[in-house]
Amino acid sequence: MDVIIVNDNIEGCKLGAKIIADIVRRKNNAVLGLATGKTPIPLYDELVRLHNNESLDFSNVTSFNLDEYYKVPFTNEGSYHYFMNHHLFSKINIKKENTHVPNGMVDDVERECIEYEESIKKHGGIDIQLLGIGRDGHIGFNEPSCSLASRTRLEALMEDTREANISDFGKLELVPYYAITMGVGTIMEAKEIVLLAFGESKQDAVKGLVEGAISSMCPASILQMHPNVKIIIDNVAAKKLTKVDFYKAKFKITRL
Ligand code: F6R
């Protein structure tokens, strides 16, 4: 696990975008695992800038999103379909048919989840998975106590997660109670993982992720078992870590 400490979210998101852009340039048909939420918005802005100004080509790229709310129409501004079209897909030259976001509107959820997993496999697996982290340590919508081997499925959202997402829906009563999410086991199969976390509200989650014991009570802590993970955090999110000097020294010899 490489812990990369930056000054702020903009610096961190530019770095995250560079890591993703390098893979898109290097691998003709890269498969990207994408996240939503407030954290990666500047990263998507940077990918759009690289597309416009530096000819970053997404025409052969395939994407799979982590999650989508259950029974929220794609036209709802809180839905992750809407989010991805708004922040990224409509602004770059990715083919619509190459983008995948779980369909929370289906009746047969089990089948949707199985097909989502199969589609990831059919495309050769995810080359790089982008992650944020919830205040409670969730990745995707894998909430504390979930199986660390879980696959794509319907999951209930914790109250804290629903509260954190009020701004997407206007008021708590409108925030969905359920979502389809890639499982922790699904995420762990990505060849490379980049997780972004910024600000005070993520301090405890980052502490659990980087220096805590591996536990389903902090699902992100399982990333300690992944061979190729970069954790990009700002100084504030890093506040509760005890080995910051070591992480900074190690970063000096990390090739990005
Ligand atoms: C989003 C996702 C979630 C978020 C997390 C942090 O697709 O899977 O795990 O990454 O809830 O959200 P923000 O970035 O809004 O703090």
Side-chain angles (χ1 to χ4, degrees), residues 35-40 66-67 80 132-134 138-141 202:
T36 57
K38 291 162 206 73
T39 307
L66 281 169
D67 40 23
Y80 289 162
I133 186 170
H138 70 228
I139 47 177
F141 274 134
K202 302 294 171 72

Side-chain angles (χ1 to χ4, degrees), residues 43-112:
L43 182 149
Y44 292 140
D45 291 344
E46 176 65 6
L47 287 181
V48 171
R49 192 192 69 76
L50 291 172
H51 170 67
N52 289 333
N53 299 354
E54 296 181 23
S55 312
L56 186 61
D57 180 13
F58 291 87
S59 57
N60 289 320
V61 166
T62 297
S63 70
F64 287 91
N65 263 78
L66 281 169
D67 40 23
E68 175 59 289
Y69 292 112
Y70 183 57
K71 296 289 179 195
V72 174
F74 304 165
T75 48
N76 184 316
E77 293 190 15
S79 83
Y80 289 162
H81 278 80
Y82 186 95
F83 177 103
M84 289 310 302
N85 282 326
H86 179 70
H87 290 288
L88 189 67
F89 298 155
S90 64
K91 298 178 175 169
I92 57 174
N93 66 334
I94 195 164
K95 295 187 184 105
K96 188 89 184 86
E97 64 270 24
N98 289 350
T99 67
H100 304 83
V101 181
N103 186 348
M105 294 301 289
V106 290
D107 290 325
D108 192 344
V109 178
E110 217 168 297
R111 191 191 167 125
E112 167 68 13

Side-chain angles (χ1 to χ4, degrees), residues 97 138 161 221 236:
E97 64 270 24
H138 70 228
T161 300
S221 62
V236 182

Side-chain angles (χ1 to χ4, degrees), residues 22-244:
D22 285 349
I23 290 184
V24 170
R25 288 202 179 95
R26 210 174 336 125
K27 197 174 173 199
N28 180 38
N29 55 352
V31 180
L32 307 181
L34 300 176
T36 57
K38 291 162 206 73
T39 307
I41 292 175
L43 182 149
Y44 292 140
D45 291 344
E46 176 65 6
L47 287 181
V48 171
R49 192 192 69 76
L50 291 172
H51 170 67
N52 289 333
N53 299 354
E54 296 181 23
S55 312
L56 186 61
D57 180 13
F58 291 87
S59 57
N60 289 320
V61 166
T62 297
S63 70
F64 287 91
N65 263 78
L66 281 169
D67 40 23
E68 175 59 289
Y69 292 112
Y70 183 57
K71 296 289 179 195
V72 174
F74 304 165
T75 48
N76 184 316
E77 293 190 15
S79 83
Y80 289 162
H81 278 80
Y82 186 95
F83 177 103
M84 289 310 302
N85 282 326
H86 179 70
H87 290 288
L88 189 67
F89 298 155
S90 64
K91 298 178 175 169
I92 57 174
N93 66 334
I94 195 164
K95 295 187 184 105
K96 188 89 184 86
E97 64 270 24
N98 289 350
T99 67
H100 304 83
V101 181
N103 186 348
M105 294 301 289
V106 290
D107 290 325
D108 192 344
V109 178
E110 217 168 297
R111 191 191 167 125
E112 167 68 13
C113 295
I114 289 169
E115 286 178 359
Y116 205 69
E117 292 269 343
E118 283 172 356
S119 187
I120 293 173
K121 281 209 181 76
K122 203 182 81 197
H123 285 86
I126 290 172
D127 291 308
I128 184 161
Q129 176 67 56
L130 176 64
L131 295 176
I133 186 170
R135 302 187 294 207
D136 61 5
H138 70 228
I139 47 177
F141 274 134
N142 295 284
E143 297 282 31
S145 82
C146 71
S147 160
L148 297 179
S150 53
R151 310 302 306 189
T152 303
R153 69 198 182 288
L154 187 66
E155 176 66 284
L157 304 181
M158 286 205 168
E159 217 38 32
D160 183 64
T161 300
R162 293 186 58 249
E163 277 164 19
N165 291 345
I166 287 178
S167 60
D168 294 339
F169 292 92
K171 53 181 177 174
L172 185 61
E173 295 73 50
L174 297 177
V175 182
Y177 289 84
Y178 299 97
I180 294 179
T181 181
M182 273 188 207
V184 179
T186 322
I187 292 169
M188 287 293 282
E189 283 172 6
K191 290 161 199 145
E192 183 172 351
I193 293 177
V194 172
L195 183 146
L196 305 174
F198 309 115
E200 198 181 339
S201 66
K202 302 294 171 72
Q203 285 175 351
D204 289 331
V206 166
K207 173 74 179 165
L209 153 67
V210 178
E211 296 181 350
I214 295 175
S215 162
S216 66
M217 293 314 286
C218 177
S221 62
I222 192 67
L223 298 178
Q224 295 170 21
M225 296 290 290
H226 192 285
N228 192 359
V229 181
K230 292 182 178 64
I231 308 293
I232 303 179
I233 54 179
D234 64 353
N235 287 310
V236 182
K239 268 270 158 52
K240 294 195 175 169
L241 297 180
T242 57
K243 310 283 180 217
V244 165

